[in-house]
Amino acid sequence: MKARITVTLKSGVLDPQGKAIQHTFEDLGIAGVDKVRQGKIFDIEIAETNKTKAEAQLKNMSEKLLANMVMENYTVEILD
Amino acid sequence: MKARITVTLKSGVLDPQGKAIQHTFEDLGIAGVDKVRQGKIFDIEIAETNKTKAEAQLKNMSEKLLANMVMENYTVEILD
């Protein structure tokens, strides 16, 4: 089963890399960029074929390794 | 206008970080993870309110800075 896990910073958490990207657009002459926040995606294939069990496994994988639950949120999207 | 730009490695490009994550799941005792590939997202707010112009600007931003067009693909998704 294919899935995409998206990990984003929680709203209160500073994102210095996003800020740096935002300023780089100014330097490149691209104006009107009000906000940039960076996140990560993980495109994953797992052997599990039962959708409910796959979702449970992917949540476990997110919380054990992919997301830092103190600072980050994650979403799991089953793609097939 | 809010948008999400998703940047992923082209299919032929090796992803050592994804491989490392995949092996870490084995070490954690989570079996049946066949593939992991990592990508990036950028949640962006721009001042432009015309959807067509916003898409054009976001594509330009992707190609100038956010994606390495030799190795990466990108998608632009307008969120409002």
Side-chain angles (χ1 to χ4, degrees):
Chain A
M1 194 158 261
K2 290 185 185 178
R4 172 168 285 184
I5 293 171
T6 303
V7 177
T8 52
L9 285 172
K10 289 186 180 176
S11 58
V13 179
L14 288 177
D15 181 2
Q17 195 170 359
K19 279 276 175 215
I21 292 167
Q22 187 182 342
H23 292 309
T24 305
F25 282 122
E26 284 173 34
D27 297 343
L28 289 173
I30 298 173
V33 180
D34 296 331
K35 196 174 183 183
V36 178
R37 285 178 77 79
Q38 196 174 351
K40 289 172 281 187
I41 57 169
F42 301 93
D43 286 325
I44 293 177
E45 291 180 29
I46 58 174
E48 181 61 59
T49 53
N50 176 290
K51 193 179 171 186
T52 308
K53 286 184 187 170
E55 274 178 346
Q57 182 182 340
L58 291 159
K59 282 184 184 185
N60 184 37
M61 289 165 65
S62 301
E63 292 177 18
K64 285 250 175 71
L65 181 63
L66 301 177
N68 173 346
M69 298 303 292
V70 177
M71 309 198 299
E72 293 173 325
N73 293 320
Y74 71 90
T75 58
V76 171
E77 182 190 2
I78 303 278
L79 301 176
D80 68 359
Chain B
M1 196 159 258
K2 290 185 186 178
R4 172 168 284 184
I5 293 170
T6 304
V7 177
T8 52
L9 285 172
K10 289 187 180 177
S11 58
V13 179
L14 288 177
D15 181 2
Q17 195 171 359
K19 279 277 174 215
I21 292 167
Q22 187 182 342
H23 292 310
T24 304
F25 283 122
E26 283 173 35
D27 297 343
L28 289 172
I30 298 173
V33 180
D34 297 330
K35 196 174 183 182
V36 178
R37 282 177 79 79
Q38 197 174 351
K40 289 172 280 187
I41 56 168
F42 301 92
D43 285 326
I44 293 178
E45 290 179 31
I46 58 174
E48 181 60 58
T49 53
N50 176 290
K51 194 178 171 186
T52 308
K53 287 183 186 170
E55 275 178 346
Q57 182 181 340
L58 290 159
K59 281 184 183 184
N60 184 38
M61 290 165 64
S62 301
E63 293 176 18
K64 285 250 175 71
L65 182 63
L66 300 177
N68 173 347
M69 298 304 291
V70 177
M71 308 199 299
E72 294 173 324
N73 293 319
Y74 72 90
T75 58
V76 171
E77 183 190 2
I78 302 278
L79 301 177
D80 66 359

